[in-house]
Amino acid sequence: MKIASLSPDQAPPISVPLRFFAVAPVFLALAALLLGLQGLAVAAVAEAPPVPVLASGSDLAVHGSVLSIRGARNETGGLIVSYVTLQVTEVLRGAPPPGPVVVRVPGGVLPEENLGMRASGAAEFRAGEEVVILLQRPVEAGLGRQAAVPAFYRVTGGALGKFEVRTPPQTGAKQALRSLGAVVGQQAGDVEAMSLDRLRALIRGSLPPGGR
């Protein structure tokens, strides 16, 4: 058996490993994004995007209440998702379909299987909860385009695109709160609070002239 030895002259140029270290973080970030899109997790962000930024990237923004939550398997059967049905009381952006709006979020519970899954950074809901939510139409599988009349919507920005509406007894004025748990450096229970009227103004202020 002949064993060849290596010499320094056979080493690759220094640019080869440098290129690897330069592009590796990009591919890691893309992998994390793909996992988030599949519902496994929502990547942490450095800071919470301003409401007008999220709103301008949304197809629909509504104020309403949660009628029901149903856990189910996703299309491949490997992940759990939840279908959240909303009763809309106010449209702040876009034009919803007739009837209740259905939102799909990663994570949920399958009582019949005694099984549950929680997706980090995803929006979470409770039955009866009053919410303001920023929504996007999903991309149709295999077509690469958004559904014209979607069967369900996705939350823009995960937990950062969902606001719980509460009425503190001290003031009686409605407040909108969003979880900051997906922001780097924030704790799971940290929230951003503002008046409901201010949230309405921020969402409506993101509209182009004459838009809805």
Side-chain angles (χ1 to χ4, degrees), residues 93-143:
R93 181 185 181 91
V101 169
V102 178
V103 181
R104 192 171 94 166
V105 293
V109 177
L110 299 177
E112 65 278 8
E113 299 182 37
N114 195 27
L115 188 64
M117 187 191 86
R118 186 174 185 182
S120 175
E124 297 181 349
F125 296 86
R126 303 188 317 273
E129 183 181 25
E130 183 179 356
V131 296
V132 171
I133 185 170
L134 305 173
L135 301 169
Q136 293 176 322
R137 297 194 305 270
V139 175
E140 291 181 313
L143 298 180

Side-chain angles (χ1 to χ4, degrees), residues 51 63 89-90 92 130 132 174 176 194-206:
V51 173
H63 174 202
T89 57
E90 181 182 17
L92 302 173
E130 183 179 356
V132 171
K174 289 192 173 185
M194 66 183 75
S195 71
L196 178 58
D197 287 340
R198 173 164 174 74
L199 178 58
R200 286 190 180 108
L202 289 173
I203 294 173
R204 288 172 172 156
S206 69

Side-chain angles (χ1 to χ4, degrees), residues 4-204:
S5 59
L6 293 177
S7 71
D9 294 336
Q10 295 174 301
I14 188 63
S15 61
V16 173
L18 288 179
R19 283 200 298 269
F20 169 78
F21 287 111
V23 302
V26 176
F27 284 102
L28 287 174
L30 288 174
L33 177 60
L34 288 173
L35 287 175
L37 292 177
Q38 291 299 319
L40 291 176
V42 178
V45 295
E47 60 182 29
V51 173
V53 172
L54 288 177
S56 63
S58 300
D59 301 302
L60 185 65
V62 297
H63 174 202
S65 58
V66 177
L67 291 178
S68 64
I69 304 172
R70 177 178 61 87
R73 296 279 185 175
N74 70 341
E75 290 81 359
T76 65
L79 299 174
I80 299 174
V81 297
S82 292
Y83 291 91
V84 182
T85 302
L86 302 174
Q87 180 64 57
V88 175
T89 57
E90 181 182 17
V91 178
L92 302 173
R93 181 185 181 91
V101 169
V102 178
V103 181
R104 192 171 94 166
V105 293
V109 177
L110 299 177
E112 65 278 8
E113 299 182 37
N114 195 27
L115 188 64
M117 187 191 86
R118 186 174 185 182
S120 175
E124 297 181 349
F125 296 86
R126 303 188 317 273
E129 183 181 25
E130 183 179 356
V131 296
V132 171
I133 185 170
L134 305 173
L135 301 169
Q136 293 176 322
R137 297 194 305 270
V139 175
E140 291 181 313
L143 298 180
R145 66 189 183 197
Q146 288 183 312
V149 183
F152 60 84
Y153 288 84
R154 300 185 189 277
V155 183
T156 308
L160 295 171
K162 178 248 181 178
F163 295 79
E164 180 184 358
V165 178
R166 298 181 183 175
T167 306
Q170 300 88 341
T171 64
K174 289 192 173 185
Q175 297 284 307
L177 301 91
R178 68 170 169 175
S179 170
L180 298 179
V183 179
V184 173
Q186 299 286 343
Q187 303 299 316
D190 292 344
V191 298
E192 176 187 6
M194 66 183 75
S195 71
L196 178 58
D197 287 340
R198 173 164 174 74
L199 178 58
R200 286 190 180 108
L202 289 173
I203 294 173
R204 288 172 172 156

